[in-house]
Amino acid sequence: MSWSWTVAPGAESLARTLASSESAWFPPSHPEKENGVRALFRHDGLYCKYFKKRCDQAESEWKALTHLSRHGVPVPRPVAWSPAPGGGAVLAMQEIPGATPLKEAWHRDRIPAVAALLRLMHSNGFHHLDLHTGNILVAAGNLFVIDLHRGRIGSVSAKDEERAIGQFAYSLSRIASHSDVMRFVKMALGRSADEEARVRRVNVHSDAFRRRHVASRTRRCLKESTGFAVSRGREGLVITRKPSRPEEALAALAHHDKLCSAGLSTKTLEGRRVTTFDGLFVKEWKTGGPFRALRNWVRGTPARAAWIGAQGLRVRGLPAPEAIGLVEQRGRSAFVAKESPGKPLDRYCREEVPRLKDRRPFLEGLAALVARLHRADAHHRDLKANNLLADGPTRFAFLDLEDLEFRRVRRADSVKALAQLNAALPELTRADRWRMLKRYAAGWKGLGNLRVAAAEIMKVTVARRHNWPPRS
């Protein structure tokens, strides 16, 4: 199959070097960005997208660019596109000098312009299905919509509009305040008799996008991508977070084996061994035997759960050790991460909290962190105090990441987690605990009546018979 260029009217001179010397630039040798489906590169003042497998996506974006530019919606100027020999397609647009993604150039003063851009796009019959702050560019004070291959030309219904605004509102919430996001939502919707109901529906869409997005980003850690390297071979399955390489994870595991053989492991429990060295820690689980094999087949290995847990916390903006690698071999699995500074929370409470002149930042910071965990649809099944590190009154990190679950947190989960924490912190007074409970409830709204919740937490706490009762 040979090249067959479709050139935009008036863009013949721009397309000439592209369409007359394909062998000089295809396939692109130094792409600016690349993944399994696309490569982005520049050529002679043009910004080009190579769709490796989906010719239809290039054609779809071409149609969207020509449609929107014809209706006065600011998009990159379309130049040419063609199916590529061997499959896929190349799409070329005129480069926008000095363009920066909106997420890197955000200011609240841009809210009216962004809202107006979305209204203009929708009123001119285009529904963008991947609308976020990385897909709007800012250049010389002007805004441009990009990445149009996931979109639909045609009438945009009120439901479509609410969905798109909800998607963008979620993306905007990661860089803007809640009040600015709500101001954007109202301006993008425009005035209407049912404004409150529409805003509520947008918020529902926004929350759904948040859940899907963080779930998708959490699972990316198991696939080869720009962020992760995957190796399968005689050494088993090895996954590392770039720039770390599989060889580094295997070297750390080999050193761990030497330390364990010399009796120098940091912790040894039935089926588990932990070592720390050179700023790393390695946690190994035995996976042999029929019962463990069945459990791992159903749930995945504990090391894989810890690896997913570390990535899940990271994408939710929650503190955890920096994961380096996952190794799964016959009969065992291992999780490699950087050591986090700090002391186990129960030890920090014994040694450091009595010295604090003002406990409030510590109490409120810890309570707010657990509320953030639950608000982010993350549940730690074993939230005892030595599974949290404290490196100062307001700096914390979660441990035992294999015990994390990413799902909606139920009220019973909340009561159990608070009881686990409550039972393990004997140095705190009753007034301290009440302050923490109120701060937690301000961040996670699922507890209901606080006095009823406190009674339930106390009942579970006492049943644990661990470091109880507290001092008065």
Side-chain angles (χ1 to χ4, degrees):
M1 179 181 178
S2 60
W3 295 92
S4 177
W5 291 98
T6 300
V7 180
E12 291 81 5
S13 61
L14 292 171
R16 189 169 295 120
T17 59
L18 184 78
S20 62
S21 58
E22 293 93 341
S23 60
W25 54 263
F26 185 84
S29 56
H30 300 291
E32 201 169 277
K33 285 184 179 180
E34 185 173 19
N35 57 28
V37 294
R38 282 188 299 280
L40 310 180
F41 64 100
R42 285 180 166 83
H43 175 75
D44 199 20
L46 301 178
Y47 192 74
C48 305
K49 299 174 77 170
Y50 169 36
F51 295 83
K52 298 180 180 181
K53 301 174 182 177
R54 298 281 301 275
C55 181
D56 61 309
Q57 289 187 338
E59 184 176 15
S60 177
E61 182 152 4
W62 173 260
K63 289 178 179 178
L65 285 167
T66 54
H67 171 82
L68 291 175
S69 59
R70 189 166 59 246
H71 286 84
V73 180
V75 295
R77 182 185 176 186
V79 174
W81 87 279
S82 172
V90 173
L91 169 69
M93 300 159 279
Q94 190 168 13
E95 190 173 358
I96 303 172
T100 304
L102 179 64
K103 63 184 178 182
E104 297 173 16
W106 173 252
H107 191 278
R108 65 195 312 265
D109 292 346
R110 300 195 192 278
I111 291 175
V114 175
L117 175 61
L118 266 62
R119 290 199 307 272
L120 179 64
M121 182 173 64
H122 293 153
S123 64
N124 282 285
F126 186 73
H127 182 200
H128 201 310
L129 297 174
D130 192 21
L131 195 59
H132 56 77
T133 55
N135 280 344
I136 292 181
L137 300 181
V138 181
N142 298 312
L143 303 177
F144 299 84
V145 187
I146 63 169
D147 271 8
L148 307 173
H149 60 279
R150 291 191 60 205
R152 189 183 72 243
I153 297 171
S155 177
V156 179
S157 67
K159 185 177 180 180
D160 293 336
E161 188 178 45
E162 290 160 7
R163 180 188 182 278
I165 293 171
Q167 183 179 30
F168 191 83
Y170 160 62
S171 179
L172 186 60
S173 71
R174 304 173 75 197
I175 58 172
S177 68
H178 177 71
S179 59
D180 283 347
V181 172
M182 295 313 298
R183 180 176 167 228
F184 157 76
V185 167
K186 291 177 181 179
M187 293 184 75
L189 287 171
R191 294 188 179 277
S192 63
D194 60 342
E195 179 179 315
E196 288 188 12
R198 296 198 75 194
V199 168
R200 284 196 299 272
R201 290 195 292 270
V202 166
N203 287 337
V204 169
H205 284 299
S206 182
D207 189 55
F209 275 110
R210 176 186 66 81
R211 294 176 190 278
R212 285 199 295 270
H213 183 244
V214 296
S216 172
R217 289 189 64 199
T218 298
R219 302 300 297 187
R220 284 181 199 174
C221 65
L222 299 175
K223 300 177 181 178
E224 180 76 38
S225 66
T226 54
F228 298 94
V230 179
S231 171
R232 289 181 173 86
R234 288 183 302 172
E235 299 288 352
L237 171 66
V238 186
I239 306 177
T240 54
R241 182 173 183 80
K242 295 177 181 177
S244 297
R245 293 173 290 111
E247 296 79 14
E248 295 174 54
L250 289 170
L253 183 57
H255 192 68
H256 161 87
D257 289 339
K258 288 181 181 179
L259 292 175
C260 291
S261 297
L264 298 175
S265 60
T266 307
K267 180 188 281 189
T268 301
L269 298 170
E270 184 181 357
R272 281 178 290 169
R273 299 188 299 185
V274 180
T275 56
T276 56
F277 54 89
D278 300 335
L280 300 177
F281 79 85
V282 177
K283 192 169 185 179
E284 176 200 357
W285 290 264
K286 298 298 181 185
T287 58
F291 175 74
R292 287 185 181 134
L294 178 61
R295 183 190 63 189
N296 295 336
W297 181 75
V298 174
R299 298 183 180 178
T301 65
R304 180 175 293 224
W307 176 251
I308 294 171
Q311 172 70 358
L313 291 184
R314 179 180 174 275
V315 301
R316 289 163 174 81
L318 291 161
E322 183 181 339
I324 300 296
L326 161 68
V327 181
E328 292 183 337
Q329 298 174 332
R330 187 178 181 87
R332 68 173 181 169
S333 63
F335 173 62
V336 184
K338 291 185 179 180
E339 270 195 288
S340 294
K343 301 177 180 180
L345 186 60
D346 48 355
R347 181 178 154 201
Y348 183 87
C349 282
R350 288 194 304 270
E351 297 176 1
E352 305 295 337
V353 168
R355 304 177 192 173
L356 296 176
K357 292 182 179 179
D358 184 359
R359 293 187 176 193
R360 286 175 295 179
F362 167 75
L363 299 171
E364 294 182 0
L366 179 57
L369 175 65
V370 179
R372 281 176 56 206
L373 178 77
H374 291 167
R375 198 167 61 244
D377 297 331
H379 170 55
H380 198 301
R381 294 190 299 267
D382 193 16
L383 198 63
K384 57 191 179 188
N386 62 354
N387 281 340
L388 274 165
L389 286 180
D391 184 36
T394 58
R395 294 189 300 275
F396 307 96
F398 292 100
L399 300 179
D400 274 16
L401 307 182
E402 65 274 14
D403 287 321
L404 281 161
E405 295 176 338
F406 297 107
R407 56 170 175 77
R408 287 181 186 265
V409 176
R410 302 180 293 263
R411 186 177 181 280
D413 299 324
S414 169
V415 169
K416 178 185 175 183
L418 294 176
Q420 288 173 330
L421 207 52
N422 189 41
L425 298 176
E427 296 300 320
L428 300 186
T429 66
R430 287 180 171 84
D432 291 338
R433 296 165 197 276
W434 184 246
R435 178 183 291 277
M436 286 182 64
L437 182 61
K438 289 197 292 184
R439 179 63 185 87
Y440 170 85
W444 192 77
K445 305 296 185 181
L447 273 181
N449 185 289
L450 278 194
R451 295 199 176 276
V452 173
E456 292 179 49
I457 292 166
M458 284 301 305
K459 183 177 179 181
V460 179
T461 298
V462 173
R464 289 179 67 83
R465 301 178 181 275
H466 181 63
N467 290 339
W468 196 258
R471 62 188 178 86
S472 58

